[in-house]
Amino acid sequence: MTANLDIFPERQRLWEGVILGSVIHAIMVARYPELAHEQSWDGTNYNVQDSMGSRGTVSFSGNRVVGAFFDAKSPRNPFQSDGAYDVTKASRKMPSEHRRLAEGETFQYLLQEYQGKTVPIVTAAFWNEGPRLTAAEPWRLVYENGAHLLRRQLMEMDMALAEWRQAYGMSAPQFELARKLFEQKILNPGAPIVLSVDESLVVQAGAQGPEGLDTSRESFAEIGITLPG
């Protein structure tokens, strides 16, 4: 389903969406370890990638959030255009506290070699203004130039669940485990979670051998969930 590109999403929807995506990802990389790069966490930085050279990072810090993206297919990609590149263009109007978060965290995941220097290559960026996301340009342009990497993460929960389930081919037990863990994480984000024996068996049942379980274990650990074993 196409997102509403006329209205900036709410910060809470983004937060819940990345938690849902992360939980499902951690369960399903047991079966598909080759997809481990598509979602990951480094501290409070959430990273997404596709398999075609595009990537993005969303940094959370207290009530602040900053997202930045490199879309390889964007006309703003300086490696495919002749125009001069200016990293500040996507982040103009960003408040000073958000800019410190962007420069200290978010942009560091988008560093590339460009004209002999290592610089963040950013084709789109957003930040929050209170409970809603905002940017230096309309949401449609932010989305089209990179934030589309968060398409499912920005959906309503029921639609997101249905799409994730179909995309990964989740079994009923995997789906129910994902829903349960998501609800636990949203209710108490900082509380550690240890999967029970029965929950661990759900992950193990779909695993592609030891490699898959190790990959799943690492992904769970990034979001404060322990897969015993």
Side-chain angles (χ1 to χ4, degrees), residues 86-107:
D86 179 5
V87 67
T88 65
K89 186 174 182 179
S91 59
R92 67 189 186 279
K93 301 182 182 180
M94 186 182 288
S96 58
E97 290 188 351
H98 290 79
R99 184 171 298 280
R100 284 194 291 272
L101 177 60
E103 293 176 351
E105 298 283 347
T106 325
F107 289 172

Side-chain angles (χ1 to χ4, degrees), residues 67-85:
F69 307 87
F70 169 71
D71 184 346
K73 296 182 178 180
S74 169
R76 300 174 180 180
N77 177 357
F79 301 109
Q80 296 184 1
S81 65
D82 297 327
Y85 172 70

Side-chain angles (χ1 to χ4, degrees), residues 63-207:
N63 292 323
R64 295 186 299 278
V65 59
V66 173
F69 307 87
F70 169 71
D71 184 346
K73 296 182 178 180
S74 169
R76 300 174 180 180
N77 177 357
F79 301 109
Q80 296 184 1
S81 65
D82 297 327
Y85 172 70
D86 179 5
V87 67
T88 65
K89 186 174 182 179
S91 59
R92 67 189 186 279
K93 301 182 182 180
M94 186 182 288
S96 58
E97 290 188 351
H98 290 79
R99 184 171 298 280
R100 284 194 291 272
L101 177 60
E103 293 176 351
E105 298 283 347
T106 325
F107 289 172
Q108 298 305 306
Y109 295 89
L110 300 176
L111 296 175
Q112 297 191 60
E113 292 292 324
Y114 179 69
Q115 295 185 344
K117 297 181 180 179
T118 302
V119 295
I121 304 297
V122 179
T123 57
F126 64 69
W127 55 94
N128 73 304
E129 186 176 88
R132 193 170 288 276
L133 304 182
T134 190
E137 59 188 354
W139 173 243
R140 179 178 299 274
L141 294 177
V142 179
Y143 189 89
E144 291 174 351
N145 288 282
H148 59 84
L149 291 169
L150 299 173
R151 186 180 68 85
R152 292 191 185 107
Q153 290 87 337
L154 289 168
M155 285 181 170
E156 295 282 359
M157 284 299 105
D158 287 345
M159 290 188 292
L161 276 164
E163 279 225 9
W164 284 120
R165 184 175 192 174
Q166 182 177 18
Y168 279 116
M170 300 176 72
S171 68
Q174 288 167 336
F175 183 76
E176 291 307 317
L177 176 60
R179 187 191 293 273
K180 178 181 178 181
L181 293 176
F182 165 71
E183 291 173 352
Q184 288 179 289
K185 289 297 294 183
I186 292 300
L187 184 63
N188 194 347
I193 298 172
V194 179
L195 269 61
S196 69
V197 172
D198 288 344
E199 291 168 342
S200 298
L201 287 174
V202 171
V203 179
Q204 293 169 17

